[in-house]
């Protein structure tokens, strides 16, 4: 078996609060193979965002290890791209310059012209052709999130970390963006970790869904979603999809403590 | 564009008209309240003094303001980046700001007696740095963590994050505070010019108008001060358009 590109091994992490340490992650295991796309779901406040910060090297786990591409993560690294629920575009820059921001930080061999060409190509891929010179404030929420995805991918990161990127969008825009994600993945291969609250989103986008338990979170349940060619939105309305959603919903209820684990009396 | 210029001019004319009407209707003599029609005589009589003293007031205000910007931004940065420093400095700053500067003026005038320019600049600075410091500190401390994370996850240094994100993001707040500081600095300059013996600037001209019972001159000085304040204010507005114009939403 291939060595996983992202490997999180029995990670334990606690926040220091006034009332003593508050453990958020305890015994978390996540392994993502190269090119894989893992969705992490779980109850609110279970430490999902902490997980993204650990992978990005913005935080160090108290115990356990985080490995990226065979190297232990000790700090931030330029091979990571991030997008959040808040698109955090810089209002004083055009969309094009916003997308090109990471190239000002990460060493790149591309010439200025090639950088711009790459940014334009990405923007066209997500349907933002013609908006390159607009300011973020002139775009809708969905369009801003598209631009934010382009920025996360401009420096060809090995790992794309998405922390509820579509959480603040309306249902239709969200479904549009799911399809955009598939288009991006086909053109710009990456290994992805998606944090989400939306179970339909998780089974539509990911090839593996991981359910975290309530705080302190550990890996509670893993579901593999077979990747059989192009996914279309209609796939979400098949009996198989309904069954997967049911299983996941049940697992979330267990994580929330509202349902007993399997095998025990409910 | 024409409308943009015409509206404030018409508003000013209406204001002057109402003022004239008020004085005329009450039959006030000019030692109670001068009317706009008294002003042209005062300006033509002392036009060279207005130019010399107006310039003195203007440059000292601007220098005081520049120092206020430098010090205010520095204090704002310290408070914006360090919680401890914010907790330590806030009560001091608020207390300092609460002291009426009119009471500090005689103290400074005695401390550095005769140093007109220095005293005036000092008071202009003291009265105007507070809003700048507060706005910069708030702008920096309310920066959403995601903004930092976007660059930090790529390995950017704190300095890079400051120059690329924190500083430009704070500019709209900074200019908002600067507009307040401009008018405050004029107040500071004039307090010192009026109080300090043998002062300079428009404040001293006001004082000599008082001494000579030349009431139209006193009002003329006030209007001249208002004019300088407006000019400097719009200089700040122009700078804001250049450096933080992005923050202005297009009317939709």
């Amino acid at each position: 078996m291939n060595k996983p590109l992202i490997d999180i091994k029995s990670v334990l992490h606690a926040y220091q609060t006034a009332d003593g340490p508050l453990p958020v992650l305890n015994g978390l295991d996540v392994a993502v193979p190269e090119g894989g796309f893992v969705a992490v779901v779980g109850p609110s406040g279970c430490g999902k965002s902490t997980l993204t910060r650990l992978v990005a090297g913005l935080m160090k786990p108290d115990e356990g290890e985080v490995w990226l591409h065979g190297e232990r993560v000790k700090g931030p690294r330029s091979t990571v791209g991030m997008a959040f629920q808040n698109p955090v575009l810089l209002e004083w820059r055009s969309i094009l310059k916003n997308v090109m921001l990471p190239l000002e930080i990460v060493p790149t061999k591309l010439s200025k012209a090639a950088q711009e060409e790459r940014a334009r190509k990405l923007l066209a891929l997500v349907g933002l052709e013609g908006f390159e010179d607009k300011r973020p404030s002139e775009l809708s929420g969905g369009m801003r999130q598209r631009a934010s995805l382009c920025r996360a991918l401009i420096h060809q990161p090995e790992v794309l970390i998405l922390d509820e990127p579509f959480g603040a969008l309306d249902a239709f825009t969200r479904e549009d963006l799911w399809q955009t994600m598939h288009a991006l993945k086909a053109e710009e291969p990456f290994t992805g970790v998606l944090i989400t609250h939306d179970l339909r989103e998780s089974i539509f986008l990911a090839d593996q869904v991981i359910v975290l338990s309530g705080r302190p979170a550990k890996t509670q349940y893993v579901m593999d979603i077979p990747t059989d060619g192009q996914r279309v939105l209609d796939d979400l309305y098949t009996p198989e999809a309904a069954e997967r959603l049911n299983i996941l919903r049940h697992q979330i209820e267990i994580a929330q403590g509202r349902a007993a684990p399997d095998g025990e009396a409910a | 564009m024409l409308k943009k210029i015409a509206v404030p001019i018409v508003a000013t004319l209406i204001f002057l008209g109402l003022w004239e009407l008020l004085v005329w209707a009450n039959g006030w003599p000019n030692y109670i309240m001068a009317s706009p029609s008294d002003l042209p005589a005062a300006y033509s009589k002392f036009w060279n003094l207005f130019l010399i003293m107006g310039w003195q007031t203007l440059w000292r205000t601007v220098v005081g303001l520049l120092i206020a910007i430098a010090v205010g931004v520095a204090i704002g940065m310290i408070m914006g980046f360090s919680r401890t420093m914010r907790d330590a400095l806030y009560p001091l700053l608020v207390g300092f700001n609460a002291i009426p500067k009119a009471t500090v003026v005689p103290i400074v005038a005695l401390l550095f007696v005769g140093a007109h320019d220095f005293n005036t600049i000092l008071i202009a600075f003291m009265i105007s740095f507070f809003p700048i410091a507060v706005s910069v500190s708030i702008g920096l401390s309310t920066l959403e963590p995601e903004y930092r994370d976007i660059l930090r996850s790529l390995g950017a240094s704190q300095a890079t994050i400051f120059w690329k994100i924190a500083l430009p993001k704070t500019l709209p707040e900074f200019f908002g505070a600067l507009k307040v500081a401009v008018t405050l600095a004029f107040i500071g300059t004039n307090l010192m010019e009026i109080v300090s013996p043998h002062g300079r600037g428009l404040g001293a001209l006001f004082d000599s108008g008082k001494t000579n019972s030349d009431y139209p001159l006193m009002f003329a000085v006030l209007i001249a001060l208002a004019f300088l304040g407006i000019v400097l204010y719009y200089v700040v507005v122009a700078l804001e358009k250049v450096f933080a114009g992005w923050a202005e939403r297009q009317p939709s």
Side-chain angles (χ1 to χ4, degrees):
Chain A
M1 187 188 154
N2 265 347
K3 216 171 151 41
L5 186 90
I6 307 174
D7 201 359
I8 299 173
K9 292 181 189 163
S10 45
V11 155
L12 188 147
H13 192 80
Y15 285 104
Q16 299 303 324
T17 66
D19 307 322
L22 176 73
V24 282
L25 298 174
N26 190 2
L28 182 70
D29 290 292
V30 178
V32 190
E34 184 157 3
F37 197 174
V38 165
V40 178
V41 297
S44 288
C46 76
K48 298 192 293 290
S49 294
T50 310
L51 170 67
T52 63
R53 296 175 65 80
L54 289 174
V55 176
L58 294 171
M59 266 183 191
K60 271 186 228 158
D62 295 341
E63 276 174 43
E65 292 166 7
V66 180
W67 293 75
L68 263 191
H69 222 150
E71 275 178 62
R72 190 153 175 199
V73 175
K74 292 197 178 104
R77 40 200 300 147
S78 55
T79 55
V80 168
M82 290 184 101
F84 308 95
Q85 179 169 350
N86 178 353
V88 287
L89 298 175
L90 312 184
E91 292 291 336
W92 54 95
R93 289 176 171 229
S94 68
I95 292 297
L96 186 70
K97 295 272 180 226
N98 260 292
V99 171
M100 290 169 69
L101 174 73
L103 297 176
E104 295 167 24
I105 313 291
V106 176
T108 171
K109 289 193 217 80
L110 294 176
S111 66
K112 267 272 172 253
Q115 291 178 14
E116 195 178 312
E117 199 188 309
R118 178 166 163 71
R120 286 183 188 278
K121 192 190 122 207
L122 276 172
L123 283 168
L125 199 56
V126 299
L128 284 181
E129 207 165 4
F131 292 92
E132 292 87 349
D133 299 322
K134 299 269 187 214
R135 303 272 180 171
S137 58
E138 297 174 271
L139 268 57
S140 69
M143 291 161 107
R144 271 181 254 177
Q145 199 53 265
R146 286 169 202 271
S148 159
L149 288 173
C150 292
R151 180 181 58 190
L153 287 170
I154 186 82
H155 55 297
Q156 293 178 297
E158 288 177 339
V159 177
L160 181 64
I161 302 171
L162 304 169
D163 192 349
E164 293 188 42
F166 316 123
L169 303 176
D170 67 84
F172 299 123
T173 309
R174 200 180 304 166
E175 290 183 351
D176 273 352
L177 271 149
W178 292 350
Q179 284 164 317
T180 302
M181 279 307 298
H182 278 303
L184 277 173
K185 185 120 169 61
E187 287 287 318
E188 298 270 335
F190 53 81
T191 307
V193 179
L194 169 73
I195 307 291
T196 179
H197 275 122
D198 187 335
L199 298 181
R200 290 166 72 240
E201 178 173 301
S202 72
I203 66 166
F204 185 66
L205 289 180
D207 37 52
Q208 189 176 61
V209 180
I210 295 178
V211 181
L212 297 189
S213 66
R215 192 187 288 171
K218 60 177 191 300
T219 311
Q220 176 181 302
Y221 183 81
V222 179
M223 175 188 277
D224 286 308
I225 317 274
T227 39
D228 36 11
Q230 187 90 26
R231 283 188 198 170
V232 290
L233 282 172
D234 287 342
D235 294 348
L236 284 173
Y237 301 95
T238 60
E240 287 162 299
E243 198 194 322
R244 285 187 187 125
L245 287 173
N246 260 328
I247 297 172
L248 287 175
R249 195 171 302 125
H250 179 62
Q251 287 296 331
I252 295 284
E253 283 174 356
I254 295 172
Q256 289 172 325
R258 291 198 284 135
D262 297 325
E264 289 171 37
Chain B
M1 192 61 214
L2 190 71
K3 200 177 159 202
K4 252 191 124 159
I5 301 171
V7 167
I9 289 179
V10 170
T12 311
L13 289 177
I14 290 175
F15 169 75
L16 291 175
L18 288 174
W19 177 5
E20 185 78 46
L21 189 72
L22 181 77
V23 175
W24 175 78
N26 286 294
W28 283 329
N30 70 12
Y31 54 82
I32 289 185
M33 185 148 166
S35 62
S37 54
D38 295 327
L39 300 182
Y43 284 128
S44 65
K45 197 167 158 195
F46 300 111
W47 65 271
N48 55 336
L49 284 180
F50 270 102
L51 284 184
I52 295 167
M53 301 209 154
W55 167 246
Q56 285 173 344
T57 297
L58 186 64
W59 81 257
R60 296 198 285 197
T61 305
V62 170
V63 170
L65 202 57
L66 290 177
I67 298 172
I69 291 172
V71 174
V73 168
I75 294 177
M77 278 172 67
I78 292 168
M79 293 202 302
F81 283 127
S82 157
R83 254 214 89 84
T84 316
M85 289 309 281
R86 186 152 73 247
D87 293 343
L89 290 179
Y90 241 115
L92 281 174
L93 277 182
V94 171
F96 181 80
N97 196 49
I99 299 173
K101 294 301 167 293
T103 60
V104 181
V105 166
I107 298 174
V108 169
L110 282 177
L111 250 180
F112 309 106
V113 72
H116 286 297
D117 292 340
F118 177 82
N119 287 344
T120 315
I121 291 167
L122 183 65
I123 292 291
F125 150 72
M126 275 165 51
I127 206 169
S128 61
F129 82 96
F130 183 75
I132 297 174
V134 170
S135 76
V136 170
S137 91
I138 289 175
L140 292 179
S141 62
T142 54
L143 185 70
E144 292 97 323
E146 288 102 329
Y147 279 101
R148 269 174 231 273
D149 286 353
I150 283 286
L151 287 192
R152 220 156 69 83
S153 67
L154 298 170
S157 65
Q158 284 296 337
T160 308
I161 294 172
F162 177 76
W163 283 112
K164 290 213 184 280
I165 293 188
L167 179 76
K169 209 165 162 30
T170 310
L171 281 179
E173 279 102 343
F174 168 76
F175 276 106
L178 194 54
K179 286 178 191 168
V180 177
V182 162
T183 43
L184 285 179
F186 266 109
I187 295 174
T189 312
N190 278 282
L191 276 176
M192 186 47 101
E193 287 174 351
I194 292 170
V195 168
S196 156
H198 313 294
R200 293 175 198 161
L202 287 176
L205 192 58
F206 178 87
D207 202 43
S208 71
K210 199 174 76 184
T211 317
N212 298 308
S213 306
D214 189 342
Y215 299 103
L217 175 60
M218 290 164 73
F219 278 86
V221 168
L222 296 187
I223 299 299
L225 281 171
F227 175 75
L228 285 183
I230 291 170
V231 168
L232 210 50
Y233 180 87
Y234 278 101
V235 168
V236 173
V237 169
L239 289 174
E240 183 184 28
K241 270 221 158 58
V242 173
F243 291 106
W246 52 267
E248 201 175 308
R249 297 282 160 118
Q250 299 299 320
S252 51

